[in-house]
Amino acid sequence: MTTPAVDAPSLSGAELVLRVLREEGVDHVFGNPGTTELPLIQRLADQHDITYVLALQEASAVAMADGHARITGRPAFVNLHAAAGLGNGIGALTNAAAARVPMVVTAGQQDLRHLIHEPVLAGDLTGMATATVKWAHEVGTRAELGEVLSHAFRVAKAPPTGPVFVSLPMNLLDEMGPPPPPRTTIRYAAAAPTDDLAKLLNETPADEIALVFGDELARHAPAEGLALAEALGAPVWGAGWPATNPFPTAHALWRGYLPTHLPGIRATLAPFRLVLVAGTRTFPLYYPYAPRPLLDENTHVVQITADPAGPGRDTPVDCALNGHLRPTLRALLAALPSSECSVRETAPPSTGSTGLPTGPPNGPLDLQSLSAALAAALPDDALVVDEAPHAARSIRAALRLAEANRYQWVSGGLGWAMPAAVGVSLAHPGGRVLCTVGDGATMYCPQSLWTAAHLGLPIGFVVANNREYRVLKDNWHHREPGAKRLLGMDLTRPAVDFGALGRSMGVPARRATTSTELMEAVRDGYRAEGPFLVEAVLDETVLAEAALDEAAPDEAAPDGR
């Protein structure tokens, strides 16, 4: 006679997924559903504490999660549709991987029992995802589902953070089984030894020390980075291709973002005998190629990072400290002499921007007046999400941000900012978001406008419209000065009607051709509830004059192209 099991299976696979999400503090699921995901979507419909955010295309879903995780600091959760949906999301995953954004990305797989017959939309999902994630796994049994998901969250959070992928076979989401294993809590608190670095800093004259802060510091130790800069009275730079601002840009010690080319980086840091780097990927080169090392041989470089493979990756370093930034910098601060920093010209305490009180003189829009107008109209509580390649340098210079991690920038491929702004807004309840995007980039994921309207999010989408791929033109002229015919660079004949595009997605839209019109449109947009779009038309005469004095591409803003 068979004895019945004492503990009968009580949870479907889909119910188990939701339990793990709750344990991990997940409150949003970003996705675009298909039949293979229906078991999970149906269970989501039965509850109210986790919100399903509907994206109209999978790349948008991934980028929304990217933006959300950048602000919360916790892994975001994505659910895509089978092989085709994962394929649509791969480009956005490359951005998340480059910016080291923690995410758990899942996709529905066909029923395991008939994979041998190659059913529609089945495929090697883990093989597709592997190049863009830290770890990829297809769940093979209902018994391992909970353990796999819990492990996925641990891997996404472990330094260096980043996206992971889990394939969820449809039949396992329906199958009943045991609850997930007890959650493992990991506290990352290991500090690197700082005695030698403290001695070096104490022996080096203050005016010979430079600080370079990366995204890792912005996300994990912004207060400690600020305290270190003020204790040393040392100038601070950010990476030339940042995912975020690592330091308050309104602070008197802030010097801006490094160039993205070797001569510029070397010239900027050459006056300093000691360069202390906090984080990784602080010296990314864009174009053209240049051999390493980046810095002068007389410059002593020390790097602190939690990434064991990070030190020396960008440029040779004389000393590397492998440890978590917050405890390491706190230990370092404790070892430095107590002193008052002579520089205290910081922005007044606020949650966001200390934008210019008045905008630029009224006139046709160029890069400088566009950026100054946006900075003047930016609400104090607003976060900025930027993917306007030609205007990016001017926008960064104009923003006066009182805290780190208030500005987010695309980490490679275009089409990121508009959906990322949706995720940022959801992670910043009540707070407003300014999304600056180029006209070319707007056309990659415009579906995210619908999601913003559907959710009533207070996002201002400002399209900087120069009717061309301008950064590519700059690069072309650098390679071929005086070129007469440029192929595939102009967005004309017909011109894109961005106002009509916004309105078709339920987003009210206006057009601005002057700085005053732009400021009024942005301010009026934030007074109303919900998202709005402003097409900021850059003046053709100004663009033509600028074309006569082309910048070398290594001086141009990164464009992800």
Side-chain angles (χ1 to χ4, degrees):
M1 180 176 178
T2 304
T3 304
V6 176
D7 295 318
S10 57
L11 292 176
S12 70
E15 291 169 331
L16 182 144
V17 171
L18 296 184
R19 180 172 293 191
V20 173
L21 296 188
R22 292 187 181 99
E23 290 178 350
E24 295 293 339
V26 171
D27 50 14
H28 292 84
V29 171
F30 300 88
N32 180 266
T35 302
T36 51
E37 293 73 47
L38 276 181
L40 179 59
I41 303 302
Q42 289 172 317
R43 297 290 73 77
L44 277 166
D46 293 336
Q47 54 81 57
H48 302 286
D49 57 323
I50 299 176
T51 301
Y52 185 78
V53 181
L54 175 60
L56 301 188
Q57 207 261 10
E58 288 88 355
S60 291
V62 175
M64 289 174 189
D66 181 324
H68 194 269
R70 288 180 184 223
I71 303 305
T72 66
R74 303 188 306 272
F77 187 81
V78 186
N79 187 235
L80 305 179
H81 176 45
L86 175 59
N88 286 338
I90 287 293
L93 265 174
T94 65
N95 284 336
R100 298 189 166 179
V101 178
M103 290 195 291
V104 175
V105 179
T106 63
Q109 174 66 288
Q110 286 281 13
D111 192 312
L112 290 174
R113 293 168 294 188
H114 69 174
L115 284 184
I116 187 63
H117 303 298
E118 299 183 356
V120 174
L121 293 178
D124 181 6
L125 304 189
T126 57
M128 293 172 61
T130 294
T132 61
V133 297
K134 294 176 63 178
W135 181 71
H137 183 81
E138 181 165 278
V139 180
T141 66
R142 167 61 183 80
E144 73 172 20
L145 176 59
E147 184 176 355
V148 168
L149 285 174
S150 296
H151 182 67
F153 277 94
R154 288 196 298 270
V155 174
K157 290 184 286 188
T161 57
V164 301
F165 175 76
V166 177
S167 171
L168 298 175
M170 183 179 185
N171 60 302
L172 300 185
L173 294 177
D174 282 325
E175 187 176 324
M176 304 300 289
R183 184 172 182 267
T184 300
T185 300
I186 302 176
R187 301 188 184 280
Y188 299 101
T194 59
D195 292 348
D196 290 343
L197 176 55
K199 183 174 183 291
L200 180 62
L201 289 170
N202 288 328
E203 292 174 350
T204 305
D207 60 356
E208 296 184 8
I209 300 173
L211 302 176
V212 178
F213 289 168
D215 304 325
E216 183 182 349
L217 182 133
R219 294 172 183 161
H220 301 292
E224 289 75 14
L226 175 61
L228 178 64
E230 291 185 337
L232 297 172
V236 179
W237 280 268
W241 192 308
T244 187
N245 66 299
F247 198 77
T249 64
H251 199 288
L253 290 172
W254 174 247
R255 296 295 181 269
Y257 301 92
L258 289 170
T260 58
H261 54 95
L262 187 147
I265 296 173
R266 183 174 290 165
T268 300
L269 298 178
F272 301 96
R273 192 169 73 182
L274 174 61
V275 175
L276 175 56
V277 178
T280 58
R281 301 190 177 185
T282 47
F283 302 117
L285 295 186
Y286 171 51
Y287 174 82
Y289 165 78
R292 311 297 174 112
L294 290 176
L295 304 182
D296 187 271
E297 60 182 9
N298 296 319
T299 302
H300 193 88
V301 182
V302 178
Q303 185 172 13
I304 308 172
T305 175
D307 179 5
R313 181 78 180 268
D314 296 330
T315 189
V317 299
D318 299 282
C319 177
L321 280 65
N322 180 216
H324 294 275
L325 289 184
R326 179 172 294 171
T328 299
L329 291 181
R330 286 181 176 178
L332 180 61
L333 284 164
L336 295 176
S338 176
S339 63
E340 287 294 323
C341 178
S342 60
V343 180
R344 289 293 178 185
E345 300 174 13
T346 61
S350 75
T351 58
S353 163
T354 58
L356 304 177
T358 59
N362 193 30
L365 287 171
D366 59 12
L367 299 183
Q368 285 68 40
S369 61
L370 168 88
S371 303
L374 291 175
L378 187 69
D380 282 346
D381 66 343
L383 303 180
V384 180
V385 179
D386 184 20
E387 192 179 48
H390 193 214
R393 179 181 290 106
S394 298
I395 291 171
R396 292 175 192 164
L399 292 174
R400 305 283 290 172
L401 303 173
E403 296 176 354
N405 206 38
R406 306 291 300 190
Y407 167 90
Q408 306 296 326
W409 167 248
V410 64
S411 298
L414 296 181
W416 166 86
M418 296 178 78
V422 171
V424 168
S425 183
L426 289 169
H428 183 54
R432 292 163 285 191
V433 174
L434 174 66
C435 176
T436 52
V437 61
D439 50 342
T442 300
M443 301 310 297
Y444 282 74
C445 283
Q447 310 92 337
S448 50
L449 290 169
W450 181 89
T451 305
H454 179 66
L455 298 175
L457 301 176
I459 304 172
F461 296 95
V462 176
V463 180
N465 185 6
N466 59 11
R467 301 164 295 283
E468 62 184 355
Y469 292 139
R470 180 54 187 273
V471 178
L472 277 176
K473 284 188 174 182
D474 291 345
N475 290 353
W476 191 309
H477 284 301
H478 179 73
R479 292 172 56 87
E480 186 184 351
K484 301 298 184 183
R485 180 172 183 265
L486 280 63
L487 181 65
M489 301 285 152
D490 294 303
L491 306 182
T492 55
R493 294 182 296 178
V496 178
D497 188 339
F498 290 102
L501 177 64
R503 287 186 289 271
S504 75
M505 301 280 182
V507 176
R510 289 170 63 172
R511 196 169 188 263
T513 60
T514 69
S515 53
T516 296
E517 289 177 353
L518 178 57
M519 285 188 290
E520 290 175 350
V522 172
R523 287 168 176 156
D524 289 347
Y526 283 123
R527 290 189 191 105
E529 294 183 0
F532 63 94
L533 184 147
V534 181
E535 179 187 359
V537 182
L538 297 177
D539 184 71
E540 292 186 12
T541 303
V542 175
L543 293 177
E545 291 174 351
L548 298 176
D549 185 24
E550 297 289 353
D554 52 8
E555 292 289 352
D559 74 327
R561 301 296 292 159

